[in-house]
Amino acid sequence: MLSLEDLGRGLAQVDGAWQFHLGDDPSYGSPNLDDTAGHNGWEALTTDKTWGSQSHPAYVGFAWYRRHVHVQPAAGQSPDMAMLIRNVDDAYEVYWNGKLIGGFGKLPPGPVHYYRPPAQTLGLGPITDGVLAFRVWKAPLNSFDSDQLGGFNFPPLIGSPAAIGARKAQLDYEWMRSQQFIFALTSLYALVMVLSLLFWLRDRSQRLLLSMAVYCFALVAGIFLLSLRIPFSNDFALGWFQPLFVLQDVGLWYVLLYILKLDQSPGIARATRILAIIALVGGSLDGLLVPVTSPQYVPMAQFADAVLTAVTTIIEPFPLVLVAFGLRQRLDAPRWLVAIFASLAGMFSVLRIGVQQGARFTHWKLADKIDAPLFNVLGNNVSMQGLMRVCLLVAIVYGVYRYSREASLRQSILEQEFKSARELQQILVPEALPDISGFTLTSAYKPAAEVGGDFFQIISLPGSSTLIVLGDVSGKGLKAAMTVSLLVGAIRMVAETSSSPAEILAALNRRLEGRMQGGFATCIALRLDPDGSCTLATAGHPAPFLNQRELELPGALPLGITPQARYEETKIQLREGDHFALYTDGLLEARNSTGELYGFGRLNILFGTYPTALKATEEAVAFGQNDDITVLTLTRSQSAALNLATA
């Protein structure tokens, strides 16, 4: 019997030899039970270390501890007592003289236990002589568990409620003080995660920032689950930690992929994607196995756990492969710092997890040596892995900063190029329309991108005639805009020597030979005379509308396909009130959210209303713009017809 006499304001350990019995029987809590060591399976064990490290390695399930205790408070002290219990694997109930007085977690069926919980306190009330018994349940071992687990790790303490409360507060303070390094590092990773995510949301093309946010999120969430003493159940914490750990690996892979510029290699990018899927699926399935505690399923779950862990562990050294390919790149120092520290941090983690697997069979101690502190700062132990994480964080932040700065610089250069192209196009596509005697002229131009491939020119000819050329270069963006500039310059040059629409198109076609790189340009040219006569020629361009009908023009190849192309002219007469509309195929091919084209039916109705160019363009844009849109309309005025008749 343990005698705790004259127990005052302090506390005492319930240490020494406890009676211990494997299995479960309600009678084991009875004060009248004969628990003599060596009798009916009872033996003597201490509570300063686990039953696995004494005489029952790898044992899981129920076991009982019993201790005969005599408690005598000091004179003048309250008879009420309390107890402090630290680190009991994994759930337990406490009995005093056969009566349940408390516990922690939930025992089978439906067990609930917690990952590394803080010390627990229990009010005992006024106790004197009796039997203190613990009914303990140890969960099935995971693949990384040693065989030295189960039951008590420290002897319980009994004392006054004030003394027990003070000891509990001291232990909590010591724990918080020892976690300052982890808290600070986690906070920095959380800050990097938030900033990376915000910057990525501003520019979705910055996939490195998204990868960085994913990596930091997984690391922070893992620490949140396992290291902050938040009362998550063991099944919840470890079940979610498995996929989070793999997500952390995958995030780091993609950080390396982008920062080492390996995303430009389709083979490496595809391999990274495939391995990421395998790792995430394996980690998620591994997490689902954690809650399996039924005896009939435990062997199968442990076998599946070993297989899945082996698969994910085999592919975890993938960062070394990425770094090996990265050696071929000409990279600056910040990128190499990230690669080096990412590889080291990843390899420490892989090595630690690898040697932990099957530890109860191999009895390897390397994982303990890896976790051993290198030095201590203000009560905070810093291990090699923690040091690597600090170095990796610094390297990644600097590397991402340099990467983002370079990307911003490239974006600024590109935006300046687009700005220059827009300015050039504003010169090539006239905003102010010239006056054409006898006609009301309207125009509208709406590119689908920053710059487009549509163009039109209105050029005055000798004899008061007017040349109008409208066209559409295949493709979009800067390449199309540069071809437009070539065509506009050629149009103005050819117009100085010829007013024939067919000859002008033929000359443009010859100038584009060998310059389109597989592309082409559709074009329509017309000469408008003061008497309303109009001569047209088309190079594969949509036919214009005269009032409510589409003109029938002879077919011809677009510009830039073959230098032998020939173009025919068609003549029409525009009369008072006639509405003549030219357009590019962006108007016809506008597409709504369901994929339906604007089409000729709607086009017939639209031009039947004699719209201005702006109104026609707005209608197509509202329907769903899919390409550059240019519309040019000519309306024959009444005054022009009267003047012609008078003359």
Side-chain angles (χ1 to χ4, degrees):
M1 174 181 290
L2 177 66
S3 181
L4 304 176
E5 297 183 355
D6 295 326
L7 194 58
R9 297 181 182 275
L11 43 81
Q13 287 188 349
V14 188
D15 53 10
W18 286 58
Q19 304 307 107
F20 178 80
H21 198 295
L22 299 178
D24 189 31
D25 190 321
S27 67
Y28 292 167
S30 171
N32 302 318
L33 181 73
D34 183 2
D35 57 8
T36 306
H39 180 69
N40 293 330
W42 288 94
E43 57 184 303
L45 259 66
T46 61
T47 53
D48 58 350
K49 51 187 176 182
T50 63
W51 70 52
S53 63
Q54 297 185 64
S55 55
H56 301 284
Y59 175 75
V60 297
F62 283 98
W64 282 75
Y65 290 86
R66 287 168 56 91
R67 192 80 160 93
H68 295 261
V69 179
H70 169 71
V71 179
Q72 179 63 53
Q77 296 297 319
S78 170
D80 289 336
M81 293 292 157
M83 184 164 54
L84 185 141
I85 308 161
R86 297 173 60 187
N87 294 41
V88 178
D89 296 336
D90 281 306
Y92 59 88
E93 293 175 344
V94 184
Y95 293 82
W96 176 256
N97 288 333
K99 181 181 178 181
L100 178 65
I101 59 173
F104 186 69
K106 185 178 179 182
L107 278 61
V112 176
H113 58 110
Y114 298 90
Y115 185 83
R116 295 181 181 176
Q120 303 297 310
T121 59
L122 176 64
L124 300 178
I127 63 172
T128 53
D129 294 315
V131 174
L132 181 64
F134 280 78
R135 182 189 181 206
V136 181
W137 176 78
K138 176 70 187 82
L141 298 175
N142 293 310
S143 61
F144 50 82
D145 285 333
S146 75
D147 59 357
Q148 306 292 297
L149 302 177
F152 283 95
N153 291 265
F154 299 91
L157 301 176
I158 289 181
S160 67
I164 291 296
R167 179 58 176 155
K168 163 71 171 169
Q170 180 187 6
L171 290 173
D172 290 342
Y173 170 76
E174 290 174 355
W175 176 81
M176 291 186 64
R177 188 168 181 266
S178 69
Q179 300 299 307
Q180 290 175 339
F181 173 74
I182 294 178
F183 293 163
L185 185 59
T186 303
S187 299
L188 289 174
Y189 270 103
L191 178 62
V192 173
M193 174 192 72
V194 172
L195 294 177
S196 297
L197 185 61
L198 290 176
F199 286 126
W200 174 75
L201 289 173
R202 289 180 57 187
D203 184 1
R204 301 293 179 87
S205 65
Q206 299 285 339
R207 296 184 179 180
L208 172 61
L209 296 176
L210 177 60
S211 303
M212 187 67 213
V214 169
Y215 170 73
C216 291
F217 164 76
L219 188 147
V220 170
I223 293 175
F224 183 80
L225 282 173
L226 301 185
S227 300
L228 300 186
R229 285 190 172 177
I230 297 173
F232 296 126
S233 71
N234 186 82
D235 292 346
F236 180 88
L238 290 182
W240 276 104
F241 179 75
Q242 301 288 354
L244 282 173
F245 179 79
V246 173
L247 184 63
Q248 179 182 331
D249 283 342
V250 171
L252 188 57
W253 296 352
Y254 275 94
V255 168
L256 288 174
L257 184 75
Y258 292 120
I259 211 163
L260 296 178
K261 299 181 179 180
L262 297 175
D263 56 307
Q264 301 171 10
S265 171
I268 298 176
R270 183 168 56 253
T272 304
R273 184 168 58 253
I274 292 172
L275 290 179
I277 293 172
I278 294 173
L280 290 172
V281 171
S284 300
L285 293 176
D286 202 10
L288 292 174
L289 295 174
V290 171
V292 178
T293 56
S294 300
Q296 64 270 33
Y297 299 122
V298 166
M300 291 184 291
Q302 290 182 335
F303 175 76
D305 175 41
V307 172
L308 292 171
T309 301
V311 171
T312 54
T313 303
I314 287 172
I315 61 179
E316 278 179 357
F318 184 61
L320 294 179
V321 178
L322 294 176
V323 172
F325 279 103
L327 290 172
R328 305 176 183 178
Q329 309 288 333
R330 292 184 177 179
L331 304 176
D332 52 15
R335 296 177 190 269
W336 279 119
L337 283 175
V338 174
I340 291 170
F341 286 117
S343 301
L344 289 176
M347 289 309 98
F348 268 101
S349 179
V350 170
L351 181 61
R352 177 177 175 273
I353 292 173
V355 298
Q356 274 187 322
Q357 301 308 308
R360 60 183 180 273
F361 306 113
T362 63
H363 303 289
W364 289 343
K365 302 298 183 182
L366 184 57
D368 296 333
K369 294 181 179 179
I370 293 176
D371 287 337
L374 293 176
F375 52 88
N376 184 284
V377 179
L378 300 177
N380 291 261
N381 292 327
V382 180
S383 66
M384 179 61 74
Q385 187 171 16
L387 187 61
M388 286 298 102
R389 282 182 174 175
V390 173
C391 295
L392 176 59
L393 176 64
V394 173
I396 283 180
V397 170
Y398 184 51
V400 170
Y401 164 74
R402 288 288 299 268
Y403 178 91
S404 300
R405 186 178 178 184
E406 292 173 5
S408 298
L409 182 60
R410 290 194 300 269
Q411 183 66 24
S412 298
I413 294 173
L414 186 60
E415 289 177 356
Q416 183 59 46
E417 290 179 354
F418 274 117
K419 181 180 179 181
S420 300
R422 285 196 301 270
E423 293 173 350
L424 174 63
Q425 196 159 47
Q426 288 172 358
I427 297 173
L428 301 179
V429 177
E431 292 183 354
L433 299 178
D435 291 329
I436 301 179
S437 178
F439 291 90
T440 301
L441 179 63
T442 69
S443 71
Y445 169 67
K446 183 71 174 178
E450 294 290 332
V451 291
D454 287 3
F455 64 93
F456 70 89
Q457 289 290 293
I458 303 174
I459 302 172
S460 297
L461 298 175
S464 300
S465 295
T466 303
L467 175 67
I468 299 176
V469 181
L470 183 143
D472 179 9
V473 174
S474 62
K476 301 180 181 68
L478 287 174
K479 181 180 178 181
M482 294 302 100
T483 305
V484 167
S485 65
L486 171 65
L487 280 169
V488 169
I491 289 169
R492 292 194 168 272
M493 182 179 297
V494 173
E496 293 180 357
T497 58
S498 176
S499 63
S500 166
E503 291 180 2
I504 290 173
L505 292 181
L508 294 177
N509 184 56
R510 289 192 299 271
R511 282 167 171 75
L512 288 179
E513 181 183 0
R515 298 184 178 184
M516 296 296 290
Q517 298 178 347
F520 59 88
T522 65
C523 192
I524 186 169
L526 63 91
R527 186 183 68 248
L528 191 62
D529 296 323
D531 62 357
S533 63
C534 182
T535 304
L536 304 91
T538 180
H541 197 80
F545 270 73
L546 178 57
N547 300 325
Q548 300 180 20
R549 65 182 179 86
E550 183 182 21
L551 292 180
E552 294 184 4
L553 300 178
L557 290 174
L559 305 177
I561 293 181
T562 173
Q564 288 77 34
R566 296 290 181 266
Y567 304 99
E568 300 180 28
E569 294 183 344
T570 300
K571 293 187 178 182
I572 60 172
Q573 182 66 42
L574 299 179
R575 297 179 173 81
E576 175 188 347
D578 279 348
H579 183 269
F580 192 64
L582 306 171
Y583 64 96
T584 58
D585 60 5
L587 180 65
L588 179 66
E589 296 175 359
R591 191 183 298 271
N592 63 18
S593 58
T594 64
E596 182 182 6
L597 289 173
Y598 193 77
F600 282 104
R602 290 185 178 87
L603 206 61
N604 289 332
I605 297 173
L606 173 65
F607 284 130
T609 63
Y610 294 10
T612 63
L614 180 60
K615 181 179 178 182
T617 301
E618 289 176 345
E619 174 113 358
V621 170
F623 187 79
Q625 183 177 6
N626 192 50
D627 197 0
D628 305 331
I629 298 175
T630 302
V631 180
L632 194 68
T633 68
L634 294 159
T635 303
R636 179 73 164 157
S637 63
Q638 183 178 6
S639 59
L642 290 175
N643 292 338
L644 184 62
T646 302

